[in-house]
Amino acid sequence: VDAKRMADRPIKSVMTANPTTLRAQDTIAFALHRMDLGGYRHIPILQDGKLTGVISIRDILGYLTQPTVPS
């Protein structure tokens, strides 16, 4: 991609319009399911219609591969 040509393009020309979103109380399993179905690597998290974060497949993989603490 020619960087000079892209420099003046507005973000809206490359962003996902009306992206799938999740709520903070949704489960990790549900997030993975939505990511798989949509082919997404990132999903915005909304609370009361406002953006509160973005979850990525890397975030989930990091969580799933954390060493477990013996109880």
Side-chain angles (χ1 to χ4, degrees):
V1 175
D2 181 6
K4 288 182 182 180
R5 195 183 76 202
M6 293 295 289
D8 294 329
R9 288 182 67 186
I11 292 170
K12 70 179 183 177
S13 70
V14 295
M15 72 179 211
T16 301
N18 302 311
T20 295
T21 62
L22 295 172
R23 302 167 300 150
Q25 62 266 30
D26 289 331
T27 65
I28 291 173
F30 184 67
L32 282 171
H33 176 70
R34 296 296 290 267
M35 288 175 160
D36 182 43
L37 286 178
Y40 310 129
R41 292 180 293 175
H42 302 84
I43 296 183
I45 308 300
L46 300 182
Q47 185 168 341
D48 300 323
K50 294 183 180 184
L51 181 67
T52 60
V54 176
I55 191 164
S56 71
I57 193 67
R58 179 176 278 184
D59 296 329
I60 294 171
L61 287 173
Y63 171 78
L64 293 175
T65 58
Q66 286 179 359
T68 56
V69 178
S71 40

